[in-house]
Amino acid sequence: NRLKFNQPILYYDLHADLADYLSAKLLKAEAVIHYVASGNIVDAVQIAEQAAHPLLVRGDHDAIMQMQNALSDQFIPETNHAAAIVHIRASRYADATTLLNLTESQLQNKVDKLPVVLSQKAFIMLEQGEYQQALEVAQRVLEVGADQRIEAYAMRLCGVCHVYLDDIQNGIATLNQ
């Protein structure tokens, strides 16, 4: 902190150089942290957007959470969504719901990604016994339109919700579709 106070240009340059080096070495989460420290939010956001999904696929949950924490005051759907999935996998549903709500608001105009977020919200609601709300959100997925896999998942969510709501006939009919 003394360096930042006494020689701010050197401080920011050191972080920028380190961020470039880490990015070149494919240490994306670490690069994001140093880009943020250098004041280069644009590159930090760009790397976070590109790295979120591959990190999730590799199961590098720590890296996702590091990026999400470093950019917590930014609105980056990819990073927020990846962090929400990490929370879901750890059964931290309140944290996941907060991030999914934020991600949903960011994706209102991106109908290709919105159904995934909505189906994950419906899953959490189902897990928490909020069957009517889960049914409504799953039905929104079907209304918005989704790829075949997400649509089939939403149909299963609807069927299970109907069963839990004692609408057995509708539940079975939905599950058989």
Side-chain angles (χ1 to χ4, degrees):
N1 279 337
R2 280 194 340 220
L3 182 61
K4 184 177 181 180
F5 181 74
N6 293 331
Q7 296 183 4
I9 293 173
L10 178 59
Y11 172 85
Y12 291 116
D13 286 347
L14 286 172
H15 275 291
D17 290 345
L18 183 54
D20 290 341
Y21 172 79
L22 292 168
S23 182
K25 295 293 183 185
L26 301 178
L27 298 169
K28 301 302 186 182
E30 293 84 354
V32 166
I33 292 166
H34 288 284
Y35 277 126
V36 170
S38 76
N40 186 347
I41 303 300
V42 172
D43 283 345
V45 167
Q46 183 179 14
I47 288 175
E49 288 175 339
Q50 294 169 354
H53 185 70
L55 288 170
L56 186 62
V57 170
R58 283 200 315 256
D60 195 345
H61 298 170
D62 290 338
I64 292 167
M65 298 312 292
Q66 287 173 351
M67 289 191 317
Q68 205 272 331
N69 289 333
L71 293 165
S72 61
D73 60 340
Q74 303 297 315
F75 298 107
I76 307 164
E78 292 83 356
T79 306
N80 289 337
H81 185 234
I85 293 171
V86 171
H87 288 304
I88 290 170
R89 289 179 179 170
S91 298
R92 293 188 300 261
Y93 295 139
D95 293 334
T97 299
T98 298
L99 289 170
L100 289 171
N101 287 338
L102 178 61
T103 304
E104 179 185 358
S105 70
Q106 297 164 341
L107 294 177
Q108 285 303 318
N109 296 327
K110 296 184 180 180
V111 294
D112 59 324
K113 296 182 180 182
L114 185 60
V116 174
V117 172
L118 291 174
S119 65
Q120 289 163 338
K121 284 179 64 173
F123 167 79
I124 290 171
M125 291 170 180
L126 179 67
E127 285 290 301
Q128 294 180 319
E130 300 169 356
Y131 307 124
Q132 185 60 46
Q133 295 93 326
L135 177 61
E136 291 167 8
V137 173
Q139 288 171 332
R140 256 187 79 204
V141 171
L142 299 173
E143 291 167 8
V144 170
D147 69 35
Q148 195 172 24
R149 182 181 56 86
I150 298 299
E151 198 166 285
Y153 181 66
M155 288 294 285
R156 285 193 304 274
L157 286 170
C158 287
V160 170
C161 287
H162 280 299
V163 169
Y164 278 119
L165 291 168
D166 291 328
D167 186 1
I168 307 299
Q169 204 167 18
N170 248 346
I172 292 172
T174 302
L175 288 169
N176 284 332
Q177 288 183 358

